[in-house]
Amino acid sequence: MLTTNPFDDDKLREECGVFGVSGSDGAAALVALGLHALQHRGQEAAGITSFDGAEFHTHRAMGHVAGNFDRDDIINALRGNVACGHVRYSTTGETALRNVQPLYADLASGGFAIAHNGNISNAMRLRRDLVRRGSIFQSTSDTETIIHLVATSNYRTVVDKFIDALKQVEGAYSLVVMTPEGMIACRDPLGIRPLVMGKLGNAIIFASETVALDVCGAEFVRSIDPGELVIVKGDQILSHRPFAQVAPRPCIFEYVYFSRPDSISDDRSVYTVRKAIGAQLAIESPVDADLVIPVPDSGTPAALGYAQESGIPFELGIIRSHYVGRTFIQPNNEVRHLGVKLKHNANRALIKGKKIVLIDDSIVRGTTSLKIVQMMRDAGAAEVHMRIASPPTRHSCFYGVDTPERAKLLAANMNIEEMNTYIQADSLAFVSIDGLYKALGDPQRNAIRPSHCDACFTGDYPTTLTDQDDVVQIDQFALLAERMV
């Protein structure tokens, strides 16, 4: 098997998206609709759990929402006016049905279903402690750690048990939880991962992005604040803020790539921010060229901004087919090589003899950029200049993003000149970190107290990384032991 999209192989990938509904007849159908709008956040698996006032009902499956939740018999079996769902791309835990969310458990207080976007950065240590105390895990997902912390808490109410559990975890989380007492939505104290609330008639909706509200015809109410728990009990909406208040650090890469461009994040249009990043890139790194060409589809808004700021015409020099699946069987090496053109192909008549500026959102391993530059040269481009709408990605993410280990990040091992030689472009430039913040409306990055998590660019992690530190210590111990032999 081989992916048919040569440009999707080398992207940072968000772990997942969550969607919850409380107070709507046929809630599961509404969740399925919302998950369709969040499919870009996780294409590996999907699941929905509903509650009918007496029983919980769950359906989970590998693959996309379409094909798994477009059958009446499946949706009709998910009875109740409360439901939550999840789309997954794994960053922790194996690719297996047992890790597909929502995860469900029968606790002493009743059923407990949880859908999680993010990553618990001390999950391994917590898991070891819980197993020693007798917990039996059914998955390899970090999310299950929260369930066991709730189950073993000495507090009385489900809400208090849940808060007790969250006070023991580190990292990033936006959660939608279902219990017999009501639905709970919460966001970690730094607000690293997004979560919004909407309303459709009398129903309350929670989602990773506003675009999922739009698809359902729901009204956007507000973002869930960092560190806030919102509890929906029937027609009651209660807000709790159990954590010490800290300066929020939402993920800046949501604006660069993760969120859909038609979403609103923290009162900012993602599309407008991406155009502003492209314009800033044109100011910082101009080039004498004939055409500005986006790498589809994520590079398009930034390319529009670059073209408008520079005055260079914008053109679709790479044409994408939207009718090809992610993978297909490759009978031999020759067909495997040709297969990458099924989804993207150079607009040869437009490109031939032209000096072009290619706009992409990021460079991770560099393999994608190398392929794109070669595609443009094969199509007859006179010059190929790469401009990247984010700073160099030099550090791994531990907050719910599938990032290669640092040794495999091109920018962690090469300077920009060396990277340019590697991808074989005529020139390469990235937007500066201050330029990225300017596009968000800040004059520059505040080095002492940044307004966003930008650790993948700067290495400035806003939380402790317990599990990662443990791995480093084990590796160092193993190296020392090897030297002593």
Side-chain angles (χ1 to χ4, degrees), residues 373-400:
V373 171
Q374 187 59 51
M375 179 183 284
M376 297 297 98
R377 295 208 188 280
D378 290 345
E383 295 179 10
V384 182
H385 302 270
M386 283 289 294
R387 295 294 181 267
I388 307 301
S390 64
T393 303
R394 295 192 170 100
H395 304 271
S396 297
C397 177
F398 302 100
Y399 301 120

Short mmCIF file of all heavy atoms in Angstrom, two decimals, residues 373-400:
data_model
loop_
_atom_site.label_atom_id
_atom_site.label_comp_id
_atom_site.label_asym_id
_atom_site.label_seq_id
_atom_site.Cartn_x
_atom_site.Cartn_y
_atom_site.Cartn_z
N VAL A 373 9.37 20.42 -5.61
CA VAL A 373 10.34 21.16 -6.42
C VAL A 373 10.68 20.37 -7.68
O VAL A 373 10.73 20.92 -8.79
CB VAL A 373 11.62 21.45 -5.59
CG1 VAL A 373 12.72 22.01 -6.49
CG2 VAL A 373 11.31 22.44 -4.47
N GLN A 374 10.89 19.07 -7.54
CA GLN A 374 11.20 18.25 -8.70
C GLN A 374 10.03 18.22 -9.68
O GLN A 374 10.23 18.27 -10.91
CB GLN A 374 11.54 16.82 -8.26
CG GLN A 374 12.04 15.93 -9.38
CD GLN A 374 13.30 16.48 -10.04
OE1 GLN A 374 14.27 16.81 -9.36
NE2 GLN A 374 13.27 16.61 -11.36
N MET A 375 8.81 18.18 -9.17
CA MET A 375 7.64 18.19 -10.04
C MET A 375 7.58 19.47 -10.86
O MET A 375 7.27 19.46 -12.06
CB MET A 375 6.36 18.06 -9.20
CG MET A 375 5.08 18.08 -10.02
SD MET A 375 3.59 18.00 -9.00
CE MET A 375 3.60 16.28 -8.56
N MET A 376 7.90 20.59 -10.23
CA MET A 376 7.89 21.87 -10.93
C MET A 376 9.00 21.93 -11.99
O MET A 376 8.80 22.45 -13.09
CB MET A 376 8.06 23.02 -9.94
CG MET A 376 6.92 23.14 -8.93
SD MET A 376 5.30 23.51 -9.68
CE MET A 376 4.58 21.87 -9.76
N ARG A 377 10.15 21.41 -11.67
CA ARG A 377 11.25 21.40 -12.65
C ARG A 377 10.91 20.49 -13.82
O ARG A 377 11.18 20.82 -14.98
CB ARG A 377 12.55 20.96 -11.97
CG ARG A 377 13.04 21.94 -10.90
CD ARG A 377 14.55 21.87 -10.75
NE ARG A 377 15.01 22.64 -9.61
CZ ARG A 377 15.18 23.97 -9.61
NH1 ARG A 377 14.89 24.67 -10.70
NH2 ARG A 377 15.62 24.60 -8.53
N ASP A 378 10.31 19.34 -13.53
CA ASP A 378 9.91 18.42 -14.60
C ASP A 378 8.87 19.06 -15.52
O ASP A 378 8.77 18.71 -16.70
CB ASP A 378 9.33 17.13 -14.01
CG ASP A 378 10.39 16.27 -13.34
OD1 ASP A 378 11.60 16.51 -13.57
OD2 ASP A 378 10.01 15.37 -12.57
N ALA A 379 8.08 19.99 -14.96
CA ALA A 379 7.06 20.69 -15.75
C ALA A 379 7.63 21.88 -16.51
O ALA A 379 6.88 22.58 -17.21
CB ALA A 379 5.93 21.15 -14.84
N GLY A 380 8.95 22.13 -16.38
CA GLY A 380 9.60 23.16 -17.16
C GLY A 380 9.77 24.50 -16.50
O GLY A 380 10.06 25.50 -17.17
N ALA A 381 9.60 24.58 -15.17
CA ALA A 381 9.79 25.85 -14.47
C ALA A 381 11.23 26.35 -14.64
O ALA A 381 12.18 25.57 -14.54
CB ALA A 381 9.47 25.70 -12.99
N ALA A 382 11.37 27.63 -14.90
CA ALA A 382 12.71 28.21 -15.07
C ALA A 382 13.41 28.36 -13.72
O ALA A 382 14.62 28.14 -13.62
CB ALA A 382 12.60 29.57 -15.76
N GLU A 383 12.67 28.77 -12.69
CA GLU A 383 13.19 28.88 -11.34
C GLU A 383 12.11 28.43 -10.36
O GLU A 383 10.91 28.64 -10.61
CB GLU A 383 13.61 30.32 -11.00
CG GLU A 383 14.77 30.85 -11.81
CD GLU A 383 15.12 32.29 -11.46
OE1 GLU A 383 14.57 32.80 -10.44
OE2 GLU A 383 15.89 32.92 -12.20
N VAL A 384 12.53 27.82 -9.26
CA VAL A 384 11.58 27.38 -8.23
C VAL A 384 12.05 27.91 -6.88
O VAL A 384 13.11 27.53 -6.40
CB VAL A 384 11.47 25.84 -8.19
CG1 VAL A 384 10.43 25.43 -7.13
CG2 VAL A 384 11.10 25.27 -9.54
N HIS A 385 11.26 28.79 -6.30
CA HIS A 385 11.57 29.38 -5.00
C HIS A 385 10.52 28.91 -4.00
O HIS A 385 9.32 29.00 -4.25
CB HIS A 385 11.56 30.91 -5.09
CG HIS A 385 12.52 31.45 -6.10
ND1 HIS A 385 13.83 31.76 -5.80
CD2 HIS A 385 12.35 31.71 -7.43
CE1 HIS A 385 14.44 32.20 -6.89
NE2 HIS A 385 13.57 32.18 -7.89
N MET A 386 10.97 28.41 -2.84
CA MET A 386 10.05 27.94 -1.79
C MET A 386 9.94 28.99 -0.70
O MET A 386 10.95 29.51 -0.22
CB MET A 386 10.56 26.63 -1.18
CG MET A 386 10.33 25.39 -2.03
SD MET A 386 8.60 24.86 -2.13
CE MET A 386 8.26 24.37 -0.46
N ARG A 387 8.71 29.28 -0.31
CA ARG A 387 8.44 30.17 0.80
C ARG A 387 7.49 29.45 1.76
O ARG A 387 6.46 28.93 1.33
CB ARG A 387 7.83 31.49 0.33
CG ARG A 387 8.77 32.32 -0.55
CD ARG A 387 9.96 32.81 0.26
NE ARG A 387 10.90 33.63 -0.51
CZ ARG A 387 11.97 33.17 -1.15
NH1 ARG A 387 12.24 31.87 -1.11
NH2 ARG A 387 12.77 33.98 -1.79
N ILE A 388 7.84 29.42 3.04
CA ILE A 388 7.12 28.62 4.02
C ILE A 388 6.41 29.53 5.03
O ILE A 388 7.02 30.41 5.63
CB ILE A 388 8.08 27.67 4.77
CG1 ILE A 388 8.88 26.84 3.75
CG2 ILE A 388 7.30 26.76 5.71
CD1 ILE A 388 8.05 25.98 2.82
N ALA A 389 5.10 29.29 5.21
CA ALA A 389 4.25 30.15 6.02
C ALA A 389 4.29 29.78 7.51
O ALA A 389 3.29 29.87 8.22
CB ALA A 389 2.83 30.11 5.50
N SER A 390 5.45 29.36 7.98
CA SER A 390 5.71 29.14 9.40
C SER A 390 7.22 29.17 9.59
O SER A 390 7.97 28.97 8.63
CB SER A 390 5.13 27.79 9.87
OG SER A 390 5.78 26.71 9.23
N PRO A 391 7.67 29.38 10.81
CA PRO A 391 9.11 29.29 11.07
C PRO A 391 9.59 27.85 10.93
O PRO A 391 8.78 26.91 10.89
CB PRO A 391 9.25 29.80 12.51
CG PRO A 391 8.00 30.59 12.76
CD PRO A 391 6.94 29.89 11.98
N PRO A 392 10.90 27.63 10.88
CA PRO A 392 11.41 26.25 10.80
C PRO A 392 10.95 25.40 11.99
O PRO A 392 11.03 25.83 13.14
CB PRO A 392 12.93 26.43 10.80
CG PRO A 392 13.15 27.82 10.28
CD PRO A 392 11.99 28.62 10.79
N THR A 393 10.47 24.19 11.71
CA THR A 393 10.02 23.27 12.75
C THR A 393 11.23 22.50 13.26
O THR A 393 11.68 21.54 12.65
CB THR A 393 8.96 22.29 12.19
OG1 THR A 393 7.88 23.06 11.64
CG2 THR A 393 8.45 21.36 13.28
N ARG A 394 11.73 22.92 14.42
CA ARG A 394 12.99 22.37 14.96
C ARG A 394 12.78 21.46 16.16
O ARG A 394 13.74 20.83 16.62
CB ARG A 394 13.93 23.52 15.34
CG ARG A 394 14.40 24.37 14.17
CD ARG A 394 15.55 25.29 14.59
NE ARG A 394 16.16 25.93 13.44
CZ ARG A 394 15.90 27.18 13.06
NH1 ARG A 394 15.03 27.91 13.74
NH2 ARG A 394 16.50 27.70 11.99
N HIS A 395 11.56 21.40 16.68
CA HIS A 395 11.33 20.65 17.92
C HIS A 395 10.06 19.81 17.80
O HIS A 395 9.11 20.18 17.11
CB HIS A 395 11.21 21.61 19.11
CG HIS A 395 12.40 22.50 19.27
ND1 HIS A 395 13.50 22.16 20.02
CD2 HIS A 395 12.66 23.75 18.75
CE1 HIS A 395 14.40 23.14 19.96
NE2 HIS A 395 13.90 24.11 19.20
N SER A 396 10.04 18.69 18.49
CA SER A 396 8.87 17.81 18.51
C SER A 396 7.78 18.40 19.39
O SER A 396 8.05 19.16 20.33
CB SER A 396 9.26 16.43 19.03
OG SER A 396 10.21 15.81 18.19
N CYS A 397 6.54 18.03 19.07
CA CYS A 397 5.39 18.43 19.89
C CYS A 397 4.99 17.27 20.78
O CYS A 397 4.97 16.12 20.34
CB CYS A 397 4.22 18.85 19.00
SG CYS A 397 2.73 19.27 19.94
N PHE A 398 4.64 17.58 22.04
CA PHE A 398 4.18 16.56 22.99
C PHE A 398 2.78 16.86 23.50
O PHE A 398 2.39 16.42 24.56
CB PHE A 398 5.16 16.48 24.16
CG PHE A 398 6.57 16.14 23.73
CD1 PHE A 398 7.54 17.13 23.61
CD2 PHE A 398 6.91 14.84 23.41
CE1 PHE A 398 8.82 16.83 23.20
CE2 PHE A 398 8.20 14.52 23.00
CZ PHE A 398 9.15 15.51 22.90
N TYR A 399 2.02 17.62 22.69
CA TYR A 399 0.70 18.07 23.13
C TYR A 399 -0.42 17.63 22.19
O TYR A 399 -1.41 18.32 22.03
CB TYR A 399 0.70 19.59 23.29
CG TYR A 399 1.71 20.10 24.27
CD1 TYR A 399 2.72 20.99 23.89
CD2 TYR A 399 1.69 19.67 25.60
CE1 TYR A 399 3.65 21.44 24.80
CE2 TYR A 399 2.63 20.12 26.51
CZ TYR A 399 3.61 21.00 26.11
OH TYR A 399 4.54 21.45 27.01
N GLY A 400 -0.25 16.48 21.57
CA GLY A 400 -1.33 15.95 20.75
C GLY A 400 -1.12 16.12 19.26
O GLY A 400 -2.07 16.09 18.49
#
